[in-house]
Amino acid sequence: MLRVLIADDHELIRRGVRNVVECHPGWEVCGEADDGQAALDLAMKERPDVVVLDVSLPTMNGVGVTRRLHQDLPNTSVLLYTMHDEDDTISGGLGAGARGYLLKTDSAANLEAAISSLGARRTYFSSAVSEFLLDAAVNDRKRSRLESFTMRELEVAQLIAEGNSNKQIARKLVRSIKTVECHRAAAMRKAGVRTAAEFVRFAIKQNLIQA
């Protein structure tokens, strides 16, 4: 039996979630709460498999409840079920340990799928949250790539942009031509380009060097 706790300060929402749970064979509602502290207390008592939790709750918000549940009841999965699709709210909820994030504008079928996934110890995110996570992953990879450039590689890049040859760069940096070529090759490899012109355009676009 999959035991589900519902926490929302709107009775109609709780009733709708309860209907989804009770219409599914093998699921049951083990409790309801209309504020954050009550939800936390009830969860500690009932130890549900899944908590369907609103973000905006009186006494303790959903993110705070999620954090406590993640710490104290690691076998309980939290589904944040909310109207809020702001990036800060999404990142805060996921950072607190929520395993699912669903918008109230999504369908009852999505809610059923989300509870099912969390009950099986899988994650579930609405399309808006999935897009946020994808964008965050792309930005993290991009930031990681930009942070991988060394100061010497950026110095070489700047001098290339200013029209200096490898020989001139070596003289200015008091390094051998071979060393300059190694820095140049490493920087171009990290940027994913093949020519000096492409690398200069990349470095300027990413604000790594001055135009």
Side-chain angles (χ1 to χ4, degrees):
M1 182 69 67
L2 184 72
R3 303 174 70 248
V4 180
L5 188 150
I6 305 167
D8 198 292
D9 58 342
H10 291 91
E11 183 181 355
L12 287 177
I13 297 296
R14 295 199 307 274
R15 188 182 303 171
V17 176
R18 172 181 281 276
N19 184 62
V20 169
V21 173
E22 291 181 340
C23 286
H24 195 288
W27 292 4
E28 69 173 7
V29 175
C30 65
E32 293 185 26
D34 60 4
D35 70 70
Q37 187 61 57
L40 180 60
D41 293 343
L42 191 56
M44 298 300 287
K45 176 184 176 182
E46 296 291 338
R47 296 181 176 271
D49 300 300
V50 177
V51 177
V52 179
L53 182 68
D54 190 11
V55 170
S56 300
L57 288 172
T59 70
M60 182 186 297
N61 66 36
V63 174
V65 176
T66 299
R67 186 173 292 106
R68 285 290 306 277
L69 292 176
H70 182 64
Q71 292 172 353
D72 299 338
L73 295 178
N75 292 326
T76 295
S77 297
V78 175
L79 171 65
L80 290 177
Y81 187 49
T82 178
M83 292 297 295
H84 298 286
D85 60 356
E86 300 87 357
D87 289 356
D88 289 346
T89 306
I90 295 171
S91 60
L94 299 183
R99 294 185 60 82
Y101 200 109
L102 190 68
L103 300 180
K104 291 178 179 177
T105 51
D106 289 321
S107 68
N110 289 132
L111 177 58
E112 183 178 1
I115 295 173
S116 180
S117 291
L118 268 66
R121 304 296 294 172
R122 299 191 302 269
T123 58
Y124 189 97
F125 305 114
S126 70
S127 57
V129 178
S130 296
E131 290 178 10
F132 166 80
L133 293 173
L134 178 60
D135 289 343
V138 170
N139 289 333
D140 282 345
R141 287 196 297 270
K142 182 178 178 181
R143 183 163 50 250
S144 177
R145 181 172 66 160
L146 296 180
E147 290 174 351
S148 70
F149 287 94
T150 67
M151 289 302 298
R152 186 62 72 187
E153 288 166 356
L154 295 181
E155 285 180 325
V156 170
Q158 182 66 56
L159 291 169
I160 292 173
E162 293 171 2
N164 292 280
S165 66
N166 286 348
K167 184 176 181 179
Q168 290 171 318
I169 294 173
R171 186 165 57 248
K172 291 183 178 183
L173 297 180
V174 195
R175 293 291 187 274
S176 69
I177 294 177
K178 185 175 182 180
T179 298
V180 170
E181 290 174 344
C182 287
H183 287 311
R184 177 173 175 162
M188 291 172 63
R189 184 177 63 254
K190 292 176 182 178
V193 299
R194 295 185 177 183
T195 69
E198 289 176 335
F199 176 64
V200 169
R201 285 195 295 270
F202 168 85
I204 292 174
K205 183 178 181 180
Q206 300 301 331
N207 296 315
L208 295 175
I209 62 175
Q210 296 297 315

